[in-house]
Amino acid sequence: MSLIVFEMAAMEQAMAQTRNVLTSQVDHAQTRQSQAEGELSQAQSELAMAQSQLNSAQAQLSGLTSSMRF
């Protein structure tokens, strides 16, 4: 009987260790996901700014070429 109790205790300990490892991995993955989402948001903001600057430059160029026509 004591062998069964010992084996059950060892199994419970192994399951607890596995749960701790998996919880740690999930926490790490969630942290990395948050960081990646922040980086994506920053990149999207930079892209929007660059697109706006491009549109402005194209409008200025269009105005210059229109004024050069006779």
Side-chain angles (χ1 to χ4, degrees):
M1 187 69 155
S2 63
L3 180 59
I4 293 173
V5 171
F6 176 77
E7 287 179 358
M8 287 179 60
M11 212 163 45
E12 286 176 4
Q13 183 179 3
M15 286 171 45
Q17 289 173 340
T18 301
R19 184 170 48 250
N20 289 342
V21 168
L22 293 175
T23 299
S24 176
Q25 290 175 340
V26 167
D27 289 345
H28 177 72
Q30 288 173 334
T31 298
R32 183 62 195 118
Q33 180 182 10
S34 281
Q35 291 170 343
E37 287 171 351
E39 292 169 6
L40 175 60
S41 178
Q42 177 66 29
Q44 288 172 327
S45 294
E46 292 173 8
L47 177 59
M49 186 180 302
Q51 186 67 53
S52 175
Q53 291 171 345
L54 175 60
N55 290 344
S56 177
Q58 286 175 328
Q60 289 175 356
L61 180 59
S62 178
L64 286 174
T65 56
S66 293
S67 68
M68 293 173 65
R69 291 186 184 144
F70 295 95

